[in-house]
Amino acid sequence: MRLDPLSLPVSFHAHDTRADDGVRQIEIHRERVVLRRALHGMRMAVNVRVSDFLGIALRGIDDAQMLVLVHRDPSLTIPLGVSSDCDEIATAWQMWSDILALPLLPEDKAREPALRRRRHNAIRARRPKFLVRRRRGDLLNPANIHQGECEIIARD
């Protein structure tokens, strides 16, 4: 399998273990990628901008090398080609990088897992809404405290 980056848009089928048929259809354009598959009987199309991908990576498999379009989510990573010729795969790697304007990723950089999302609630520590509207009283305002004075009571 080898896709030509000069003939974009390209449409092909790729292996997908979670899809119903075990296959997903991929369309690669210069500015976006569309992934179509059926999952539990529901057909879906995922439209991803090319700029959302991390880059083009080269992965070694058995006696050949595979060129992939790497996304932070591993299920959105797309295979671009497989070859046992090192020169051919290196030129294709550079061409895909130039055409899609994505960086070349070394093997160790391409396999970094995605960062975990924050699980805590960012606004939990804030004051409740009705208390935000009220003005807080100043208990230590020196104008309200009178010390060392005699109290004068005026009577009619």
Side-chain angles (χ1 to χ4, degrees), residues 34-66:
V34 181
L35 302 158
R36 299 182 200 284
R37 69 179 181 176
L39 189 63
H40 300 293
M42 183 173 59
R43 295 186 320 182
M44 65 173 67
V46 179
N47 193 355
V48 183
R49 293 185 314 225
V50 169
S51 59
D52 292 340
F53 286 89
L54 298 176
I56 311 293
L58 192 60
R59 294 184 179 164
I61 52 172
D62 297 337
D63 59 343
Q65 290 183 328
M66 184 162 91

mmCIF file of all heavy atoms in Angstrom, residues 34-66:
data_model
loop_
_atom_site.group_PDB
_atom_site.id
_atom_site.type_symbol
_atom_site.label_atom_id
_atom_site.label_comp_id
_atom_site.label_asym_id
_atom_site.label_seq_id
_atom_site.Cartn_x
_atom_site.Cartn_y
_atom_site.Cartn_z
ATOM 1 N N VAL A 34 -11.518 13.057 6.246
ATOM 2 C CA VAL A 34 -12.843 12.553 6.603
ATOM 3 C C VAL A 34 -12.745 11.046 6.818
ATOM 4 O O VAL A 34 -12.278 10.319 5.935
ATOM 5 C CB VAL A 34 -13.884 12.867 5.506
ATOM 6 C CG1 VAL A 34 -15.243 12.351 5.913
ATOM 7 C CG2 VAL A 34 -13.937 14.354 5.228
ATOM 8 N N LEU A 35 -13.151 10.596 7.998
ATOM 9 C CA LEU A 35 -13.156 9.168 8.335
ATOM 10 C C LEU A 35 -14.606 8.713 8.413
ATOM 11 O O LEU A 35 -15.404 9.287 9.166
ATOM 12 C CB LEU A 35 -12.488 8.938 9.685
ATOM 13 C CG LEU A 35 -11.053 9.424 9.814
ATOM 14 C CD1 LEU A 35 -10.700 9.628 11.252
ATOM 15 C CD2 LEU A 35 -10.140 8.450 9.169
ATOM 16 N N ARG A 36 -14.973 7.688 7.665
ATOM 17 C CA ARG A 36 -16.339 7.150 7.688
ATOM 18 C C ARG A 36 -16.273 5.692 8.133
ATOM 19 O O ARG A 36 -15.470 4.925 7.620
ATOM 20 C CB ARG A 36 -16.973 7.217 6.300
ATOM 21 C CG ARG A 36 -17.104 8.605 5.762
ATOM 22 C CD ARG A 36 -17.789 8.569 4.389
ATOM 23 N NE ARG A 36 -17.551 9.737 3.603
ATOM 24 C CZ ARG A 36 -18.133 10.916 3.787
ATOM 25 N NH1 ARG A 36 -18.980 11.076 4.765
ATOM 26 N NH2 ARG A 36 -17.856 11.929 3.008
ATOM 27 N N ARG A 37 -17.167 5.358 9.082
ATOM 28 C CA ARG A 37 -17.263 3.975 9.545
ATOM 29 C C ARG A 37 -18.612 3.766 10.205
ATOM 30 O O ARG A 37 -19.326 4.720 10.514
ATOM 31 C CB ARG A 37 -16.144 3.633 10.513
ATOM 32 C CG ARG A 37 -16.237 4.326 11.839
ATOM 33 C CD ARG A 37 -15.111 3.913 12.729
ATOM 34 N NE ARG A 37 -15.222 4.558 14.025
ATOM 35 C CZ ARG A 37 -14.421 4.331 15.012
ATOM 36 N NH1 ARG A 37 -13.437 3.472 14.875
ATOM 37 N NH2 ARG A 37 -14.571 4.944 16.152
ATOM 38 N N ALA A 38 -18.957 2.506 10.407
ATOM 39 C CA ALA A 38 -20.185 2.151 11.111
ATOM 40 C C ALA A 38 -19.786 1.519 12.441
ATOM 41 O O ALA A 38 -18.922 0.648 12.492
ATOM 42 C CB ALA A 38 -21.014 1.182 10.284
ATOM 43 N N LEU A 39 -20.430 1.978 13.504
ATOM 44 C CA LEU A 39 -20.127 1.481 14.838
ATOM 45 C C LEU A 39 -21.440 1.134 15.522
ATOM 46 O O LEU A 39 -22.283 2.001 15.726
ATOM 47 C CB LEU A 39 -19.376 2.562 15.628
ATOM 48 C CG LEU A 39 -18.790 2.169 16.959
ATOM 49 C CD1 LEU A 39 -17.729 1.088 16.773
ATOM 50 C CD2 LEU A 39 -18.175 3.369 17.633
ATOM 51 N N HIS A 40 -21.637 -0.156 15.805
ATOM 52 C CA HIS A 40 -22.874 -0.671 16.413
ATOM 53 C C HIS A 40 -24.096 -0.288 15.579
ATOM 54 O O HIS A 40 -25.129 0.113 16.115
ATOM 55 C CB HIS A 40 -23.038 -0.182 17.848
ATOM 56 C CG HIS A 40 -21.916 -0.592 18.745
ATOM 57 N ND1 HIS A 40 -21.683 -1.899 19.098
ATOM 58 C CD2 HIS A 40 -20.949 0.138 19.345
ATOM 59 C CE1 HIS A 40 -20.636 -1.955 19.884
ATOM 60 N NE2 HIS A 40 -20.166 -0.736 20.051
ATOM 61 N N GLY A 41 -23.964 -0.386 14.275
ATOM 62 C CA GLY A 41 -25.076 -0.111 13.376
ATOM 63 C C GLY A 41 -25.297 1.352 13.053
ATOM 64 O O GLY A 41 -26.137 1.682 12.231
ATOM 65 N N MET A 42 -24.553 2.247 13.671
ATOM 66 C CA MET A 42 -24.717 3.678 13.414
ATOM 67 C C MET A 42 -23.565 4.171 12.536
ATOM 68 O O MET A 42 -22.394 4.032 12.903
ATOM 69 C CB MET A 42 -24.730 4.455 14.729
ATOM 70 C CG MET A 42 -24.962 5.922 14.525
ATOM 71 S SD MET A 42 -25.176 6.840 16.048
ATOM 72 C CE MET A 42 -23.668 6.522 16.901
ATOM 73 N N ARG A 43 -23.915 4.701 11.374
ATOM 74 C CA ARG A 43 -22.887 5.219 10.474
ATOM 75 C C ARG A 43 -22.466 6.599 10.923
ATOM 76 O O ARG A 43 -23.295 7.402 11.340
ATOM 77 C CB ARG A 43 -23.406 5.263 9.043
ATOM 78 C CG ARG A 43 -23.692 3.881 8.507
ATOM 79 C CD ARG A 43 -24.060 3.892 7.074
ATOM 80 N NE ARG A 43 -24.925 5.027 6.746
ATOM 81 C CZ ARG A 43 -25.414 5.247 5.560
ATOM 82 N NH1 ARG A 43 -25.152 4.433 4.582
ATOM 83 N NH2 ARG A 43 -26.199 6.289 5.330
ATOM 84 N N MET A 44 -21.173 6.857 10.858
ATOM 85 C CA MET A 44 -20.667 8.155 11.277
ATOM 86 C C MET A 44 -19.571 8.623 10.340
ATOM 87 O O MET A 44 -18.905 7.823 9.685
ATOM 88 C CB MET A 44 -20.136 8.095 12.708
ATOM 89 C CG MET A 44 -18.926 7.212 12.863
ATOM 90 S SD MET A 44 -18.168 7.286 14.485
ATOM 91 C CE MET A 44 -19.397 6.569 15.489
ATOM 92 N N ALA A 45 -19.422 9.926 10.268
ATOM 93 C CA ALA A 45 -18.347 10.551 9.509
ATOM 94 C C ALA A 45 -17.661 11.555 10.429
ATOM 95 O O ALA A 45 -18.310 12.422 11.003
ATOM 96 C CB ALA A 45 -18.892 11.244 8.276
ATOM 97 N N VAL A 46 -16.360 11.414 10.581
ATOM 98 C CA VAL A 46 -15.587 12.305 11.438
ATOM 99 C C VAL A 46 -14.745 13.189 10.529
ATOM 100 O O VAL A 46 -13.945 12.693 9.733
ATOM 101 C CB VAL A 46 -14.682 11.505 12.403
ATOM 102 C CG1 VAL A 46 -13.868 12.440 13.275
ATOM 103 C CG2 VAL A 46 -15.506 10.563 13.242
ATOM 104 N N ASN A 47 -14.942 14.488 10.640
ATOM 105 C CA ASN A 47 -14.223 15.459 9.827
ATOM 106 C C ASN A 47 -13.156 16.113 10.704
ATOM 107 O O ASN A 47 -13.483 16.767 11.685
ATOM 108 C CB ASN A 47 -15.202 16.502 9.291
ATOM 109 C CG ASN A 47 -14.615 17.350 8.207
ATOM 110 O OD1 ASN A 47 -13.448 17.238 7.896
ATOM 111 N ND2 ASN A 47 -15.438 18.201 7.641
ATOM 112 N N VAL A 48 -11.871 15.928 10.354
ATOM 113 C CA VAL A 48 -10.761 16.432 11.154
ATOM 114 C C VAL A 48 -9.900 17.338 10.278
ATOM 115 O O VAL A 48 -9.564 16.974 9.146
ATOM 116 C CB VAL A 48 -9.896 15.269 11.700
ATOM 117 C CG1 VAL A 48 -8.797 15.790 12.595
ATOM 118 C CG2 VAL A 48 -10.746 14.264 12.430
ATOM 119 N N ARG A 49 -9.546 18.518 10.802
ATOM 120 C CA ARG A 49 -8.643 19.399 10.057
ATOM 121 C C ARG A 49 -7.246 18.800 10.032
ATOM 122 O O ARG A 49 -6.811 18.161 10.992
ATOM 123 C CB ARG A 49 -8.582 20.775 10.714
ATOM 124 C CG ARG A 49 -9.863 21.543 10.630
ATOM 125 C CD ARG A 49 -9.670 22.917 11.203
ATOM 126 N NE ARG A 49 -8.957 22.846 12.474
ATOM 127 C CZ ARG A 49 -9.296 23.505 13.559
ATOM 128 N NH1 ARG A 49 -10.332 24.285 13.546
ATOM 129 N NH2 ARG A 49 -8.602 23.389 14.661
ATOM 130 N N VAL A 50 -6.516 19.018 8.961
ATOM 131 C CA VAL A 50 -5.150 18.503 8.849
ATOM 132 C C VAL A 50 -4.259 19.147 9.905
ATOM 133 O O VAL A 50 -3.359 18.503 10.451
ATOM 134 C CB VAL A 50 -4.599 18.735 7.417
ATOM 135 C CG1 VAL A 50 -3.115 18.454 7.349
ATOM 136 C CG2 VAL A 50 -5.335 17.862 6.424
ATOM 137 N N SER A 51 -4.528 20.388 10.243
ATOM 138 C CA SER A 51 -3.715 21.077 11.250
ATOM 139 C C SER A 51 -3.874 20.472 12.649
ATOM 140 O O SER A 51 -3.049 20.728 13.528
ATOM 141 C CB SER A 51 -4.067 22.566 11.283
ATOM 142 O OG SER A 51 -5.426 22.736 11.592
ATOM 143 N N ASP A 52 -4.922 19.667 12.877
ATOM 144 C CA ASP A 52 -5.117 19.010 14.171
ATOM 145 C C ASP A 52 -4.222 17.787 14.355
ATOM 146 O O ASP A 52 -4.105 17.270 15.467
ATOM 147 C CB ASP A 52 -6.576 18.585 14.354
ATOM 148 C CG ASP A 52 -7.496 19.777 14.495
ATOM 149 O OD1 ASP A 52 -7.006 20.875 14.821
ATOM 150 O OD2 ASP A 52 -8.713 19.622 14.270
ATOM 151 N N PHE A 53 -3.608 17.303 13.283
ATOM 152 C CA PHE A 53 -2.714 16.150 13.380
ATOM 153 C C PHE A 53 -1.353 16.606 13.888
ATOM 154 O O PHE A 53 -0.938 17.753 13.663
ATOM 155 C CB PHE A 53 -2.568 15.468 12.017
ATOM 156 C CG PHE A 53 -3.787 14.679 11.622
ATOM 157 C CD1 PHE A 53 -4.816 15.273 10.916
ATOM 158 C CD2 PHE A 53 -3.916 13.349 11.967
ATOM 159 C CE1 PHE A 53 -5.941 14.568 10.557
ATOM 160 C CE2 PHE A 53 -5.032 12.623 11.622
ATOM 161 C CZ PHE A 53 -6.048 13.235 10.912
ATOM 162 N N LEU A 54 -0.654 15.727 14.592
ATOM 163 C CA LEU A 54 0.653 16.056 15.156
ATOM 164 C C LEU A 54 1.747 16.105 14.101
ATOM 165 O O LEU A 54 2.669 16.902 14.201
ATOM 166 C CB LEU A 54 1.030 15.036 16.236
ATOM 167 C CG LEU A 54 0.102 14.963 17.440
ATOM 168 C CD1 LEU A 54 0.532 13.854 18.367
ATOM 169 C CD2 LEU A 54 0.067 16.290 18.159
ATOM 170 N N GLY A 55 1.665 15.233 13.100
ATOM 171 C CA GLY A 55 2.689 15.199 12.060
ATOM 172 C C GLY A 55 2.693 13.879 11.324
ATOM 173 O O GLY A 55 1.809 13.041 11.480
ATOM 174 N N ILE A 56 3.734 13.682 10.513
ATOM 175 C CA ILE A 56 3.923 12.463 9.729
ATOM 176 C C ILE A 56 5.030 11.655 10.401
ATOM 177 O O ILE A 56 6.127 12.166 10.631
ATOM 178 C CB ILE A 56 4.342 12.794 8.279
ATOM 179 C CG1 ILE A 56 3.435 13.852 7.663
ATOM 180 C CG2 ILE A 56 4.393 11.537 7.441
ATOM 181 C CD1 ILE A 56 2.026 13.418 7.445
ATOM 182 N N ALA A 57 4.743 10.414 10.721
ATOM 183 C CA ALA A 57 5.711 9.574 11.436
ATOM 184 C C ALA A 57 6.069 8.350 10.611
ATOM 185 O O ALA A 57 5.298 7.891 9.774
ATOM 186 C CB ALA A 57 5.150 9.132 12.773
ATOM 187 N N LEU A 58 7.232 7.840 10.876
ATOM 188 C CA LEU A 58 7.745 6.633 10.232
ATOM 189 C C LEU A 58 7.869 5.571 11.311
ATOM 190 O O LEU A 58 8.583 5.750 12.298
ATOM 191 C CB LEU A 58 9.103 6.938 9.607
ATOM 192 C CG LEU A 58 9.678 5.929 8.656
ATOM 193 C CD1 LEU A 58 8.749 5.727 7.468
ATOM 194 C CD2 LEU A 58 11.022 6.393 8.159
ATOM 195 N N ARG A 59 7.157 4.454 11.141
ATOM 196 C CA ARG A 59 7.182 3.372 12.120
ATOM 197 C C ARG A 59 7.739 2.116 11.474
ATOM 198 O O ARG A 59 7.380 1.782 10.348
ATOM 199 C CB ARG A 59 5.777 3.087 12.649
ATOM 200 C CG ARG A 59 5.221 4.229 13.449
ATOM 201 C CD ARG A 59 3.902 3.886 14.030
ATOM 202 N NE ARG A 59 3.398 5.005 14.825
ATOM 203 C CZ ARG A 59 2.171 5.138 15.220
ATOM 204 N NH1 ARG A 59 1.273 4.221 14.914
ATOM 205 N NH2 ARG A 59 1.798 6.172 15.934
ATOM 206 N N GLY A 60 8.559 1.426 12.215
ATOM 207 C CA GLY A 60 9.138 0.191 11.718
ATOM 208 C C GLY A 60 8.280 -1.011 12.056
ATOM 209 O O GLY A 60 7.868 -1.180 13.195
ATOM 210 N N ILE A 61 7.972 -1.836 11.039
ATOM 211 C CA ILE A 61 7.236 -3.085 11.255
ATOM 212 C C ILE A 61 8.014 -4.200 10.570
ATOM 213 O O ILE A 61 8.442 -4.027 9.434
ATOM 214 C CB ILE A 61 5.787 -3.009 10.707
ATOM 215 C CG1 ILE A 61 5.771 -2.534 9.263
ATOM 216 C CG2 ILE A 61 4.947 -2.083 11.550
ATOM 217 C CD1 ILE A 61 4.426 -2.625 8.605
ATOM 218 N N ASP A 62 8.210 -5.290 11.240
ATOM 219 C CA ASP A 62 8.928 -6.473 10.757
ATOM 220 C C ASP A 62 10.062 -6.111 9.799
ATOM 221 O O ASP A 62 11.105 -5.667 10.207
ATOM 222 C CB ASP A 62 7.960 -7.468 10.113
ATOM 223 C CG ASP A 62 6.943 -7.994 11.119
ATOM 224 O OD1 ASP A 62 7.261 -7.948 12.330
ATOM 225 O OD2 ASP A 62 5.877 -8.436 10.713
ATOM 226 N N ASP A 63 9.869 -6.332 8.491
ATOM 227 C CA ASP A 63 10.936 -6.065 7.507
ATOM 228 C C ASP A 63 10.638 -4.829 6.659
ATOM 229 O O ASP A 63 11.357 -4.526 5.727
ATOM 230 C CB ASP A 63 11.129 -7.275 6.598
ATOM 231 C CG ASP A 63 9.852 -7.632 5.857
ATOM 232 O OD1 ASP A 63 8.782 -7.172 6.269
ATOM 233 O OD2 ASP A 63 9.954 -8.377 4.865
ATOM 234 N N ALA A 64 9.594 -4.089 6.990
ATOM 235 C CA ALA A 64 9.218 -2.902 6.224
ATOM 236 C C ALA A 64 8.996 -1.725 7.164
ATOM 237 O O ALA A 64 9.047 -1.868 8.381
ATOM 238 C CB ALA A 64 7.953 -3.178 5.421
ATOM 239 N N GLN A 65 8.768 -0.567 6.569
ATOM 240 C CA GLN A 65 8.466 0.626 7.350
ATOM 241 C C GLN A 65 7.117 1.186 6.918
ATOM 242 O O GLN A 65 6.753 1.124 5.748
ATOM 243 C CB GLN A 65 9.555 1.682 7.161
ATOM 244 C CG GLN A 65 10.861 1.289 7.807
ATOM 245 C CD GLN A 65 11.889 2.385 7.674
ATOM 246 O OE1 GLN A 65 11.899 3.111 6.696
ATOM 247 N NE2 GLN A 65 12.761 2.491 8.663
ATOM 248 N N MET A 66 6.393 1.746 7.879
ATOM 249 C CA MET A 66 5.063 2.267 7.602
ATOM 250 C C MET A 66 5.044 3.767 7.876
ATOM 251 O O MET A 66 5.561 4.239 8.887
ATOM 252 C CB MET A 66 4.043 1.561 8.485
ATOM 253 C CG MET A 66 2.634 1.953 8.213
ATOM 254 S SD MET A 66 1.464 0.773 8.875
ATOM 255 C CE MET A 66 1.180 1.441 10.486
#
